[in-house]
Amino acid sequence: MHDFRFTLPIKKAFKAQRKQLTQAETNLMKQILDRAEREESLTVGDFENDRVEASSGWWDWRLRAS
């Protein structure tokens, strides 16, 4: 926590450049938060994957069905 203050300028810069969420993104976020509140302990694998194309990003760690 001592060094947290050094991250604040970077956080402020990201916030200034952030785009507004679309209505679809806002609705999805509410659905996820509602489910997390009801079911508590969830992982990304607990959610359906309706993506048509695979992500090329490193953040797509979803478990694949064998």
Side-chain angles (χ1 to χ4, degrees):
M1 288 307 298
H2 180 267
D3 294 334
F4 180 77
R5 63 184 174 191
F6 299 118
T7 68
L8 294 177
I10 295 168
K11 288 177 176 29
K12 288 179 183 177
F14 276 121
K15 184 177 181 181
Q17 296 174 6
R18 184 179 67 198
K19 67 177 180 74
Q20 289 283 32
L21 294 176
T22 65
Q23 189 60 47
E25 292 168 328
T26 301
N27 292 341
L28 178 60
M29 184 169 50
K30 286 179 184 178
Q31 290 173 6
I32 292 169
L33 292 174
D34 288 343
R35 183 171 174 193
E37 187 175 310
R38 284 191 318 273
E39 300 178 36
E40 296 181 7
S41 184
L42 295 170
T43 67
V44 69
D46 294 322
F47 294 89
E48 285 186 30
N49 183 3
D50 60 355
R51 183 182 294 146
V52 176
E53 296 179 19
S55 170
S56 62
W58 62 267
W59 54 87
D60 192 12
W61 293 352
R62 183 176 298 278
L63 295 175
R64 307 283 184 221
S66 303

